Amino acid sequence: MSLFRLDASIRTEGSVSRAIADIDEESWRQDNPDEVVTRRDIGLDPVPATSWPLSVFADRSNLDSLSPEQKDAVDLATTLSDELFAAHALLFAVPLYNFGVSQHFKAWVDLAMTDPRLGESLKGRPAVLVAVRGGAYGAGTPREGWDHASGWMRRILEDVWGLDLRVVETEFTLVGVNPALDQFKEVAAEMREESERVAVQHGRHLAGALTH
Ligand SMILES: Cc1cc2nc3c(=O)[nH]c(=O)nc-3n(C[C@H](O)[C@H](O)[C@H](O)COP(=O)(O)O)c2cc1C
């Protein structure tokens, strides 16, 4: 079972989403020692925001009509969706930025979706979303309802693309970084430990080893 892995963190040093996704990947690797991992790092190498409008209106039934810029955008969209089609399992690691979806993840999704082949073709594939947030947004917290990323990401991955999705959530990653959050050190450590445990389990899901 080959794996596609996408990273959206804009940093490498200290990145929690990358560290949790590494655990998922290692767990998947146990059953797939010789399989290929296709990596797309949109945090460090984003898809150009200009590609989406060029690709979305390109007439794919008449490739000769496309400008060179449109052709490049269509080619990139095709590459992105080919990477998804080629993998048996999909791993996405995406942080919360400014209470919303990472712009790089949104640009990548938008462009991939301009490929008309995407439709139903990913339905049922095992997938994991590693969602990390600096703060905490659970029920009863002062910022309940401020996480505007997770709901949208689940909609796309689970409902639109039909992936068999599991989500690993890690909150309070800014504890230890932002002194105002020092009082939450213990709870943050517990959350991290729990998400590392869940990541191992979800890696097994990626490997097709879990049935529910
Ligand atoms: C520019 C920027 C904006 C951020 N905005 C938020 C935010 O609105 N809410 C939040 O909970 N965390 C926010 N964070 C914190 C990140 O979600 C957190 O640091 C997360 O761990 C980043 O992922 P990484 O560790 O994989 O790099 C922000 C971080 C950066 C760099």
Side-chain angles (χ1 to χ4, degrees):
M1 304 226 354
S2 59
L3 180 69
F4 168 80
R5 171 169 169 177
L6 174 142
D7 283 283
S9 171
I10 56 174
R11 61 182 182 157
T12 49
E13 192 70 29
S15 165
V16 177
S17 60
R18 291 174 192 273
I20 301 290
D22 283 347
I23 295 174
D24 279 294
E25 184 181 326
E26 279 161 27
S27 172
W28 164 86
R29 176 62 77 194
Q30 281 180 20
D31 283 354
N32 297 279
D34 304 318
E35 279 290 354
V36 176
V37 180
T38 301
R39 301 179 193 281
R40 181 147 294 265
D41 197 324
I42 56 171
L44 303 182
D45 185 17
V47 300
T50 46
S51 297
W52 175 64
L54 287 165
S55 180
V56 81
F57 292 131
D59 180 359
R60 286 167 166 76
S61 67
N62 184 8
L63 293 177
D64 290 343
S65 71
L66 305 186
S67 67
E69 294 78 16
Q70 274 183 311
K71 178 139 194 345
D72 286 348
V74 168
D75 286 348
L76 181 55
T78 304
T79 301
L80 300 185
S81 50
D82 279 347
E83 288 173 354
L84 293 171
F85 297 143
H88 294 105
L90 311 170
L91 173 60
F92 307 93
V94 190
L96 179 68
Y97 291 133
N98 296 325
F99 308 106
V101 175
S102 141
Q103 61 169 296
H104 296 153
F105 186 65
K106 179 72 164 59
W108 174 84
V109 168
D110 285 346
L111 187 56
M113 286 179 73
T114 63
D115 186 331
R117 298 173 305 158
L118 207 58
E120 295 274 293
S121 44
L122 298 173
K123 215 170 159 66
R125 294 199 198 189
V128 169
L129 170 63
V130 173
V132 301
R133 306 186 265 280
Y137 299 85
T141 60
R143 296 234 159 135
E144 177 181 359
W146 284 51
D147 166 15
H148 296 282
S150 305
W152 180 83
M153 291 194 288
R154 289 190 85 126
R155 268 281 174 260
I156 295 294
L157 300 175
E158 209 165 16
D159 302 318
V160 178
W161 291 359
L163 300 174
D164 181 5
L165 188 73
R166 302 284 192 280
V167 183
V168 190
E169 296 183 278
T170 313
E171 296 201 308
F172 267 155
T173 66
L174 286 177
V175 172
V177 179
N178 177 355
L181 298 174
D182 275 355
Q183 58 182 305
F184 300 112
K185 270 188 177 150
E186 215 165 285
V187 67
E190 280 167 17
M191 284 176 168
R192 179 69 182 264
E193 206 174 297
E194 173 62 8
S195 53
E196 290 178 358
R197 190 190 63 76
V198 172
V200 172
Q201 234 182 22
H202 288 358
R204 308 286 299 137
H205 168 65
L206 289 176
L210 298 183
T211 49
H212 59 84

